[in-house]
Amino acid sequence: MAAPLVRIEGLTVAFDGAPAVRGVDLAVHPGEAVGIVGESGSGKSVTWLAALRLLPAKAAVAGRVLLDGRDLLALPLPEVEAVRGGRIGMIFQDPASALNPVLRIRRQLGEVLARHRGLSGAAIAAEARRLLDLVGIPDAARRLDSYPHEMSGGQNQRVMIAMAIAGQPDLLVADEPTTALDVTIQAQILDLLAALRRELGMALVLISHDLGVVAETCDRVAVMYAGRVVEMGPAEPLFDAPRHPYTRGLLDALPTLDAAERLVAIPGVVPDPRAMPPGCAFAPRCAHAAPVCLGAEPALRATLPGRWSACARPDLDLAAPPPRPPATPAPAAEAVA
Amino acid sequence: MTAPALDLRAVARAYGGGRTLFGARPVVRAVDGVTLALPQGRTLGIVGESGSGKSTLGRLALGLETPDAGHVTAFGAPMPAPGTPAWRALRRRMQMVFQDPLGALDRRIPVADQVAEPLAIHGIGAPAERRARALDALAAVGLSAAQGGRYPHELSGGQRQRVVIARALITDPDVLVCDEPVSALDVSIQAQVVNLLIDLKAARGLAMVFISHDLRVVRQIADRVAVMYLGRIVEEGAAEAVLRDPRHPYTRALVSAAPAPGRHRRERVILSGEPPNPAARPAGCAFHPRCPVAVARCRSEAPALEPAPDGHATACHRVTPAAERAA
Ligand SMILES: Nc1ncnc2c1ncn2[C@@H]1O[C@H](COP(=O)(O)OP(=O)(O)OP(=O)(O)O)[C@@H](O)[C@H]1O
Ligand SMILES: Nc1ncnc2c1ncn2[C@@H]1O[C@H](COP(=O)(O)OP(=O)(O)OP(=O)(O)O)[C@@H](O)[C@H]1O
Ligand SMILES: [Mg+2]
Ligand SMILES: [Mg+2]
């Protein structure tokens, strides 16, 4: 296989002594689409913010992030800034933080085009319009004059996508890029990303809670829990036959369109990062936990060719959903009453 | 019969107009004549095209914005003007979960204090009690006291979204308008939050408007569903009927495009043509330029939202008229 475009090695991030990312190894090959799914707060966004040096100074970051053999974590900041928006584009999870509320869309897109594509004047205007057309914003010429607050949530999200692909990156890191979009526009954006991958050989890291979108878009998937990758493998077999109980739990929590029935959340809560349980971080919530799970934290190991899982019980049969946990009484209703 | 929690009659709201440096600003008819009722204790799902006016409708429903035309009543009384004492009193009973959590939170204040804030505003409880209730509300959405002590930018996207939900629930409202409340949550936490809302509805008769792009979640939580396209409702009915047997061609496209793992190749109804431009509403049926079954009449005559005898209403010339369906 070709050398990876980006290789993350042993990445750790802590805030005020509380670990948020606890050793992530991940490679993204040229043109490949890698999906990142997992628990809210598991470090999906922080992993890539750290890789691009976008975290506040108080974040303690260690490990290496290699791009063309250069470690982004060790480079002088101006060189990393040239990579951002250039070789690596990023769509941030929060439109509010990525768009400047007091600048028109025209200015914001124009700045990216001037900086990373060296365009000026009329070329900027034409390219900015083309990009808004590409992401399906109707009436692009007029919309360039809008401020972010004059656009709907989904329209702002598409502006951010336009800004992220404006620099024609080799890698696009897209953090929840389609959550505020209805499924027909979502399908259009996913087709656009697929076309960019085909035509420009762009690689894609897609961080998303939408397992359907990830299954449809990505070649490989990494599942994160409590700051680590707990399962990794090709998308189709991973969702068809997960090897880690956390992945199984996610799939079992999916609602269906066919019937309204009570959803199955994974019981329990995520461990406090300052007081991690001994052994596997998922063990306290796992229906399959056994004494072996409480020893050392299981490493990510190859199970089948191309498949990796960090489970101390690699031979578990996870084909069928585990027995349903007893219906949790609704403490919530009392809590807010 | 008790008055509905919310009743919207032919409400409309337009933005824009005037001029800028770059020319005339188009008028966008964000909500263009919508009539809807939310009975007490029920949940109304709102789905539809991005930019079709769902968030605007949510703000109109809670009186955060005043409609240009039409009127809104809450619990049988006209919606008071924003900012008046009557409006503030009503606000305690009616809360909104905004679409953009970071925009809805103050960057300079720890989140637990922001969750407790509505209690302080409405003068409920002593400070210690407010704090305890804030921590309970955070726990209900799966957040710890330590996380409550953090600032918004120190939380992940899904943690912030849950803070906003906790803040909306803390005054124990009778009506909740949720704008994309679970889109940033992993499916397990999403299930937890959806179950929490369903329990509140069962235990306390909470009425909800639930705006979401996730048809599966809407299916789980909503009693009825309204589908919006370019500022208007194009289909409305029982959630099960609309999502199982969608009648409007736009709804059919939506339902067919909903992705799921394990369904490897979507049999999407591909919508041809451009997404609609709200500033230049097509003549006739606004959906006709993208509609796979449009005929000449659709280009000239706007279809009205017509209920069938089963209570399932559709605004489409090509849907079998109610009379024939019954025959
Ligand atoms: N600036 C910060 N200061 C302190 N803690 C932080 C900061 N940024 C993130 N964290 C914490 O780091 C952990 C990982 O956050 P991250 O944003 O990567 O989660 P995520 O996996 O992207 O979750 P989500 O799916 O909810 O977006 C979370 O527990 C979060 O609260
Ligand atoms: N303050 C404003 N000024 C000008 N136009 C606005 C304003 N607020 C909303 N609009 C426009 O009104 C239309 C409806 O917006 P709204 O936010 O209600 O859509 P939505 O259905 O919630 O979309 P999404 O699913 O993307 O959040 C959009 O075309 C939007 O650009
Ligand atoms: Mg995130
Ligand atoms: Mg909206």
Side-chain angles (χ1 to χ4, degrees):
Chain A
M1 198 188 269
L5 176 67
V6 173
R7 182 195 287 283
I8 297 179
E9 289 178 356
L11 182 74
T12 59
V13 180
F15 297 100
D16 307 314
V21 175
R22 303 184 302 122
V24 163
D25 297 285
L26 192 68
V28 181
H29 293 88
E32 180 189 35
V34 178
I36 308 213
V37 303
E39 176 239 335
S40 168
S42 61
K44 302 182 297 294
S45 301
V46 163
T47 295
W48 290 95
L49 292 172
L52 292 173
R53 304 267 294 273
L54 287 167
L55 288 176
K58 75 165 186 178
V61 181
R64 300 205 300 168
V65 177
L66 300 171
L67 171 74
D68 302 329
R70 298 187 305 168
D71 180 4
L72 294 183
L73 298 186
L75 283 183
L77 207 50
E79 288 182 43
V80 180
E81 279 163 1
V83 167
R84 267 186 234 148
R87 299 225 29 215
I88 304 184
M90 180 142 188
I91 301 170
F92 294 93
Q93 190 168 6
D94 262 297
S97 59
L99 294 174
N100 186 330
V102 300
L103 295 184
R104 293 177 202 274
I105 302 305
R106 176 189 302 281
R107 236 329 253 297
Q108 308 199 39
L109 257 171
E111 274 172 17
V112 182
L113 290 168
R115 183 178 160 86
H116 293 289
R117 297 267 299 278
L119 300 182
S120 59
I124 288 193
E127 180 65 1
R129 271 179 61 172
R130 192 187 71 90
L131 285 167
L132 287 197
D133 275 336
L134 263 185
V135 296
I137 291 191
D139 205 14
R142 282 215 181 105
R143 278 298 180 180
L144 283 170
D145 292 331
S146 299
Y147 292 97
H149 75 268
E150 297 176 335
M151 313 258 275
S152 79
Q155 288 161 347
N156 278 328
Q157 207 163 31
R158 279 173 279 164
V159 168
M160 294 203 309
I161 295 171
M163 284 175 61
I165 62 177
Q168 297 180 332
D170 292 328
L171 169 63
L172 176 64
V173 179
D175 197 348
E176 299 286 356
T178 60
T179 34
L181 303 179
D182 63 90
V183 280
T184 66
I185 296 201
Q186 186 184 71
Q188 187 188 334
I189 295 284
L190 296 176
D191 287 348
L192 168 68
L193 294 180
L196 290 171
R197 287 179 53 210
R198 253 190 337 266
E199 286 156 25
L200 307 174
M202 181 184 85
L204 175 69
V205 167
L206 180 67
I207 304 174
S208 178
H209 291 303
D210 192 325
L211 305 183
V213 164
V214 169
E216 190 172 294
T217 311
C218 297
D219 308 310
R220 282 196 305 139
V221 176
V223 183
M224 290 189 69
Y225 185 80
R228 300 186 67 188
V229 175
V230 294
E231 178 160 10
M232 191 159 66
E236 222 178 280
L238 185 141
F239 286 126
D240 281 346
R243 293 304 314 149
H244 194 285
Y246 175 66
T247 316
R248 175 81 257 168
L250 277 187
L251 290 169
D252 294 338
L254 274 177
T256 73
L257 254 188
D258 303 327
E261 50 189 35
R262 194 165 180 86
L263 300 175
V264 191
I266 299 171
V269 296
V270 196
D272 176 353
R274 288 172 195 277
M276 294 299 289
C280 173
F282 186 61
R285 306 174 68 187
C286 182
H288 304 278
V292 58
C293 306
L294 308 177
E297 181 148 33
L300 193 62
R301 274 188 299 253
T303 52
L304 300 163
R307 304 246 351 226
W308 302 74
S309 166
C311 178
R313 303 185 63 195
D315 301 321
L316 281 175
D317 176 14
L318 296 176
R324 287 205 170 193
T328 6
E334 291 153 36
V336 289
Chain B
M1 222 184 85
T2 51
L6 286 172
D7 196 18
L8 284 72
R9 290 287 164 83
V11 293
R13 178 82 173 102
Y15 299 106
R19 296 187 64 80
T20 72
L21 220 53
F22 301 97
R25 277 162 61 89
V27 173
V28 173
R29 284 149 79 181
V31 171
D32 193 16
V34 166
T35 296
L36 270 181
L38 173 67
Q40 295 186 27
R42 307 314 294 263
T43 301
L44 171 70
I46 299 193
V47 303
E49 187 90 359
S50 167
S52 61
K54 303 180 297 296
S55 299
T56 306
L57 187 67
R59 292 192 298 268
L60 291 171
L62 288 192
L64 299 173
E65 272 184 48
T66 310
D68 304 331
H71 57 268
V72 180
T73 54
F75 299 102
M79 181 66 67
T84 58
W87 179 80
R88 269 195 292 276
L90 195 61
R91 282 285 296 162
R92 180 178 160 184
R93 299 179 66 190
M94 309 203 310
Q95 292 287 336
M96 178 141 183
V97 176
F98 289 94
Q99 186 168 5
D100 174 10
L102 200 55
L105 293 170
D106 189 326
R107 297 181 143 262
R108 296 156 305 179
I109 303 175
V111 294
D113 294 351
Q114 300 193 52
V115 170
E117 197 172 62
L119 296 178
I121 291 175
H122 297 292
I124 303 168
E129 186 199 337
R130 286 180 206 148
R131 175 151 185 87
R133 278 179 62 172
L135 294 183
D136 286 346
L138 285 169
V141 294
L143 293 175
S144 66
Q147 286 165 328
R150 299 212 203 133
Y151 295 91
H153 59 273
E154 297 178 337
L155 293 172
S156 78
Q159 290 163 345
R160 286 197 284 263
Q161 199 169 37
R162 284 178 275 162
V163 169
V164 177
I165 294 171
R167 184 174 64 180
L169 290 177
I170 198 161
T171 55
D172 218 356
D174 298 314
V175 180
L176 194 61
V177 174
C178 301
D179 198 352
E180 295 287 350
V182 296
S183 56
L185 305 180
D186 69 67
V187 287
S188 175
I189 303 233
Q190 182 178 301
Q192 185 188 335
V193 170
V194 167
N195 288 344
L196 164 68
L197 293 175
I198 290 174
D199 292 343
L200 286 173
K201 173 176 146 186
R204 306 201 16 258
L206 175 67
M208 266 184 289
V209 175
F210 194 92
I211 302 170
S212 176
H213 288 301
D214 191 327
L215 302 184
R216 292 189 169 72
V217 172
V218 170
R219 174 79 181 87
Q220 303 309 311
I221 202 164
D223 301 300
R224 293 186 77 82
V225 173
V227 183
M228 287 189 76
Y229 193 84
L230 271 194
R232 296 191 188 161
I233 291 178
V234 297
E235 182 160 358
E236 200 269 341
E240 117 101 320
V242 172
L243 297 176
R244 187 190 287 260
D245 172 29
R247 293 181 188 166
H248 193 282
Y250 174 66
T251 319
R252 288 213 291 268
L254 271 190
V255 171
S256 80
R263 237 172 84 191
H264 300 302
R265 193 154 280 283
R266 286 189 217 187
E267 285 136 39
R268 280 187 212 147
V269 176
I270 304 281
L271 288 180
S272 56
E274 296 288 296
N277 174 2
R281 195 186 164 83
C285 170
F287 186 59
H288 86 255
R290 299 168 80 195
C291 181
V293 296
V295 293
R297 184 182 177 202
C298 307
R299 285 187 271 281
S300 57
E301 196 184 320
L305 186 64
E306 304 247 25
D310 58 3
H312 185 158
T314 317
C316 177
H317 295 309
R318 298 303 312 278
V319 168
T320 322
E324 285 171 39
R325 202 178 256 274

